[in-house]
Amino acid sequence: MTSKVIRPGQTIGILGGGQLGQMMAVEARHMGYRVAVLDPAEDCPCASLADIHIQAAFDDQEAAKQLSKVSDVITYEFENVDLEVARIFEAEGKLPQGAYSLEVTQNREKEKQVAVEADLPVPTYRIIHSVDELEAAFEATGFPAVVKTISGGYDGKGQLKVEESADEARSFIKEGGTYIVEAWLSFDLEISQVFTRSQSGEITYFPIAENIHKNHILHESRVPAMISESVADKARDAVKRMSDHMNIVGTFAVEMFVIGDDVYINEMAPRPHNSGHYTIEACSISQFGQHVRAICGLSLLPVHTFPAAVMVNVLGKHRNLLLDNLEKYQGIYLHDYGKKEARNHRKMGHLTIIGESLEEIDEIIENNNVHLW
Ligand SMILES: Nc1ncnc2c1ncn2[C@@H]1O[C@H](COP(=O)(O)OP(=O)(O)O)[C@@H](O)[C@H]1O
Ligand SMILES: [Mg+2]
C-alpha cells in the first residue's frame, strides 16, 4: 500500500478533544500541522490548541462530515467512534487507522476473538444476553469471575466482580444487554505494551510498563516492568501477531496479565494510552509523536528510553493539593489538562519522573509525598 503523505500546513482532524487529543495536537503542532477537533465541550482540553473546533456531539453525522471537509487526515482519541462515520472517513481515504480496529476494540467479544485467532491466551469467558445464562457462564469460568458490559466500559465502569454466587450478578444484568463473563485471574502483575505501526507495517515498541490500579483506575505506570526477558518477548510477540492480523496503523496499546511465565490478553486500545504518557519525557519520541508520524504516512523514529520512568495520574481529588504546593515539588514533570471541573476520580493531569533506576524514582515519589495519593 502506498500511503498518502500528509505534509506540514495540512490539517489533522481529531475526534475527541480530551487529554489524549490535546497531547496529539501538541505533537502535531510541533511538526507544523494544523489541527481540527470535534468535541461537544467548548472548553475541552484540546480546544485552545486547535485551529478549528467543531463543537458538536460525537454522533452528529453532519458535524463528522464537516470535520472531514476541513481535514486531510482523521484520527481519534477514543474507540467508541460511530462505525458508520468511521467507514465514511475510511472510504474517503482519510482514516489510515481504518474502521476495523475500532470495530474490534469497541466490543470485548471481538477483542477476545482476535486474540484467540492470533493464538493468544485470554481468560476463560462466556457471552451472555440474559440473567438465565449466568449460572452456565459461571460454571465455565468458576469463581471469582467478572461480568463486564460488552462495550462502553472504562476505568472499571460497567463491570462487576463476582465472588461466589450468580446471585451477586443478577441485578447487574439489564434486559436486552450483552455481557461478557470472565474468569478472574489472580495475576502477578498487569502490564501494557504500547507500540506504533506505520502504514507500511513497520513497528516500534515502547518499553513495557507495569500498571498499578487503585479503585479500578490506573494509578501508576512503571518502566521498566519487573518481568523476565521471556515474558517481555511473549508480550511483544503477541502484540506483533495481533497488529499484523488487524493491520493496525498508529499508536496502539495492549493490556495484559502476567502469571508466572504466561501472558494473557486483557484489553486493547486503538490509540495512545494512559500507560504510555511516560514516553513524553522518557523516550526520544513519544507515543503521540509516533502516532502523528504514522497517520501522516511518515516513517517511524527509533525509540530510545531513559533507564527508568514512573507516571502517576492526577485525579480530581489530588489536583488542588498539587497545584497549591507546586513550588515544593522537586524532580517531577507536571501535565495539567486544563479541565475545569475536578470531579473526585476524573483524570485531571499526570506527573512523570524519570531517572537512572526505579529506586531513585521511588525516593523522589516519597520525598514529594506522592506515595500518599
Ligand atoms: N479477568 C480479570 N481477571 C483479573 N482482573 C481483571 C480481569 N478483568 C479486569 N480485571 C481488573 O480490572 C481492571 C479493569 O478492567 P478492564 O477490562 O481493563 O476494563 P477497563 O480498563 O475498560 O475499565 C483491569 O486492569 C484489572 O485490574
Ligand atoms: Mg483496562
Side-chain angles (χ1 to χ4, degrees):
M1 185 178 75
T2 49
S3 46
K4 186 170 77 174
V5 176
I6 307 300
R7 301 177 194 279
Q10 290 191 286
T11 302
I12 299 177
I14 308 175
L15 277 165
Q19 63 266 26
L20 298 176
Q22 182 188 50
M23 290 184 270
M24 274 181 209
V26 167
E27 287 298 331
R29 294 195 63 142
H30 275 162
M31 292 178 69
Y33 293 110
R34 287 165 48 83
V35 173
V37 68
L38 191 162
D39 192 289
E42 185 183 2
D43 55 359
C44 68
C46 192
S48 60
L49 283 158
D51 298 276
I52 300 169
H53 180 185
I54 299 168
Q55 208 186 319
F58 293 124
D59 59 1
D60 179 337
Q61 302 217 352
E62 276 312 307
K65 279 187 202 147
Q66 206 186 330
L67 180 70
S68 175
K69 211 161 142 201
V70 299
S71 305
D72 297 288
V73 66
I74 295 175
T75 186
Y76 44 80
E77 67 155 8
F78 54 78
E79 47 276 33
N80 291 314
V81 175
D82 185 302
L83 281 184
E84 223 173 290
V85 167
R87 289 192 186 110
I88 294 171
F89 291 160
E90 190 173 17
E92 290 173 340
K94 290 188 176 174
L95 189 72
Q97 292 165 274
Y100 181 63
S101 60
L102 286 170
E103 185 184 329
V104 171
T105 53
Q106 46 185 243
N107 182 298
R108 292 187 189 272
E109 181 181 16
K110 289 188 182 155
E111 222 168 55
K112 293 267 190 296
Q113 284 168 345
V114 163
V116 170
E117 278 163 26
D119 217 11
L120 302 170
V122 297
T124 302
Y125 72 93
R126 290 289 182 274
I127 304 298
I128 63 163
H129 302 91
S130 76
V131 172
D132 303 338
E133 294 171 287
L134 272 175
E135 298 274 4
F138 288 129
E139 223 154 89
T141 61
F143 293 110
V146 53
V147 185
K148 303 178 184 178
T149 53
I150 203 77
S151 59
Y154 68 99
D155 288 347
K157 291 186 178 66
Q159 55 178 277
L160 177 76
K161 188 179 176 196
V162 179
E163 298 295 341
E164 53 185 28
S165 152
D167 291 342
E168 297 166 46
R170 287 187 202 284
S171 63
F172 185 75
I173 306 297
K174 303 276 175 289
E175 181 85 27
T178 304
Y179 299 84
I180 184 167
V181 180
E182 289 177 27
W184 184 266
L185 300 185
S186 48
F187 48 76
D188 301 330
L189 73 168
E190 289 195 74
I191 58 171
S192 56
Q193 173 68 73
V194 179
F195 64 98
T196 313
R197 191 167 179 275
S198 73
Q199 294 181 45
S200 61
E202 169 197 10
I203 296 185
T204 60
Y205 301 92
F206 293 102
I208 294 169
E210 173 176 349
N211 298 321
I212 297 166
H213 293 80
K214 279 191 185 170
N215 302 313
H216 306 282
I217 301 173
L218 181 66
H219 170 62
E220 208 176 83
S221 290
R222 301 168 64 82
V223 171
M226 291 295 126
I227 51 175
S228 64
E229 240 343 277
S230 108
V231 165
D233 284 345
K234 273 188 193 167
R236 271 190 297 268
D237 180 54
V239 156
K240 167 96 176 80
R241 266 190 285 162
M242 268 189 315
S243 62
D244 289 343
H245 180 81
M246 292 170 69
N247 199 18
I248 285 165
V249 169
T251 291
F252 196 101
V254 181
E255 298 176 14
M256 292 167 264
F257 301 132
V258 180
I259 303 179
D261 211 32
D262 294 322
V263 174
Y264 293 81
I265 306 293
N266 173 33
E267 248 204 323
M268 311 173 197
R271 51 168 171 79
H273 193 253
N274 195 170
S275 69
H277 291 355
Y278 77 88
T279 61
I280 295 174
E281 284 88 9
C283 299
S284 48
I285 177 84
S286 75
Q287 62 167 349
F288 301 101
Q290 206 77 306
H291 181 68
V292 168
R293 297 185 65 88
I295 61 164
C296 289
L298 304 179
S299 63
L300 304 179
L301 288 169
V303 176
H304 300 286
T305 311
F306 262 84
V310 174
M311 185 275 335
V312 184
N313 271 331
V314 176
L315 302 184
K317 58 183 174 182
H318 310 132
R319 193 212 213 170
N320 283 347
L321 177 76
L322 174 71
L323 296 191
D324 291 348
N325 294 288
L326 207 52
E327 63 280 13
K328 297 184 194 139
Y329 286 82
Q330 303 219 351
I332 293 182
Y333 292 86
L334 168 73
H335 293 253
D336 186 276
Y337 307 143
K339 294 180 185 174
K340 296 242 156 46
E341 198 194 337
R343 288 192 302 275
N344 238 2
H345 291 287
R346 189 178 194 200
K347 291 173 183 167
M348 303 301 291
H350 71 266
L351 306 177
T352 306
I353 305 117
I354 54 179
E356 289 301 318
S357 68
L358 283 171
E359 291 71 35
E360 178 191 325
I361 292 174
D362 281 336
E363 216 164 285
I364 295 175
I365 287 179
E366 207 162 310
N367 290 342
N368 288 280
N369 286 325
V370 174
H371 67 296
L372 300 177
W373 289 8

